[in-house]
Amino acid sequence: QVQLVESGGGSVQAGGSLRLSCYASSYMYKRSCLGWFRQAPGKEREGVASIYTGDGTTLYADSVTARFSISQDNAKNTVYLQIDRVKSEDTAMYYCAADFGPCAGELGTAHFGYWGQGTQVTVSS
């Protein structure tokens, strides 16, 4: 059974850091592509980063700067999204997504068949 559970969202001051977590059930986690997306109010959902748990290959959106970093912890079936020096434009609902097999060469929502419920990130100035 596929299960994706995000955590780590909340309110953070501009300039601070945040780490989001996505736990995936064992059935889903091994040799799967896990990604992070975000959706701000009134905007389309956009891909941020993905990682293939089979070998750790990562992909970042062109719009994402070095402030974002995706990583994995195989012992915990968890993928993380570290956001440093947060800005107001990072305010959004952040979603974890997954699908079986290696990641596609782009961060399109169509490449992910499974989604978590999301975790809200709000940046205050």
Side-chain angles (χ1 to χ4, degrees):
Q1 185 173 356
V2 175
Q3 184 181 23
L4 297 171
V5 180
E6 303 100 331
S7 62
S11 296
V12 59
Q13 285 196 327
S17 296
L18 204 63
R19 188 176 76 163
L20 307 181
S21 300
C22 172
Y23 166 82
S25 54
S26 296
Y27 179 73
M28 179 81 254
Y29 184 84
K30 287 186 176 181
R31 295 182 180 82
S32 292
C33 180
L34 275 84
W36 284 98
F37 289 75
R38 65 182 180 181
Q39 188 167 20
K43 294 189 177 181
E44 292 186 355
R45 190 170 298 189
E46 64 170 346
V48 176
S50 67
I51 188 166
Y52 175 50
T53 60
D55 62 10
T57 300
T58 59
L59 176 69
Y60 292 90
D62 291 340
S63 60
V64 170
T65 69
R67 298 188 298 112
F68 290 75
S69 178
I70 190 170
S71 61
Q72 64 187 99
D73 185 336
N74 294 339
K76 296 181 179 180
N77 286 7
T78 298
V79 169
Y80 302 100
L81 183 69
Q82 176 77 28
I83 310 173
D84 296 322
R85 303 184 301 283
V86 295
K87 301 179 178 180
S88 57
E89 51 260 43
D90 295 327
T91 294
M93 182 71 81
Y94 284 73
Y95 296 92
C96 178
D99 218 319
F100 297 101
C103 297
E106 60 173 1
L107 288 164
T109 55
H111 297 298
F112 295 86
Y114 303 92
W115 293 82
Q117 294 299 307
T119 184
Q120 177 68 39
V121 171
T122 302
V123 180
S124 59
S125 56

